[in-house]
Amino acid sequence: MVFHEYIQTERHNGIEYLLEMLGSIISGFVIPLKEDHKKYLQHVLIPMHKVRNFERIQQPLLYCIARFIEKEPSCASCGQNLTCI
């Protein structure tokens, strides 16, 4: 919910820290990834690349996405065509 709000308003103090924590959580996901996790990547994390102040969240966001790709390399195509599910 917090991340959806951030995409819409681009305002949230501490969003970088929340993304860092999310990256640690993603590291603990079991393989194969659940469909809900893939949907979260597709509908929440990928759209965060479109925010105006992307530079502010770039490092922790890319950390999260890298954790997804480590878990399931097929997720690397999500950013291109959004059909990773």
Side-chain angles (χ1 to χ4, degrees), residues 19-84:
L19 284 168
E20 288 176 12
M21 288 190 302
L22 180 62
S24 296
I25 292 168
I26 294 167
S27 293
F29 286 172
V30 295
I31 301 172
L33 292 176
K34 295 180 181 180
E35 291 303 313
D36 288 344
H37 296 155
K38 293 178 186 179
K39 286 180 183 178
Y40 193 80
L41 171 66
Q42 183 180 22
H43 296 290
V44 177
L45 294 180
I46 298 295
M48 288 183 81
H49 284 85
K50 296 178 183 175
V51 297
R52 281 181 281 139
N53 57 353
F54 175 71
E55 308 83 36
R56 181 177 157 210
I57 63 165
Q58 179 179 3
Q59 185 176 359
L61 179 60
L62 294 179
Y63 175 75
C64 290
I65 295 188
R67 299 295 75 79
F68 266 104
I69 293 171
E70 284 177 357
K71 290 289 181 177
E72 194 161 316
S74 66
C75 288
S77 65
C78 288
Q80 296 173 357
N81 56 21
L82 299 178
T83 58
C84 63

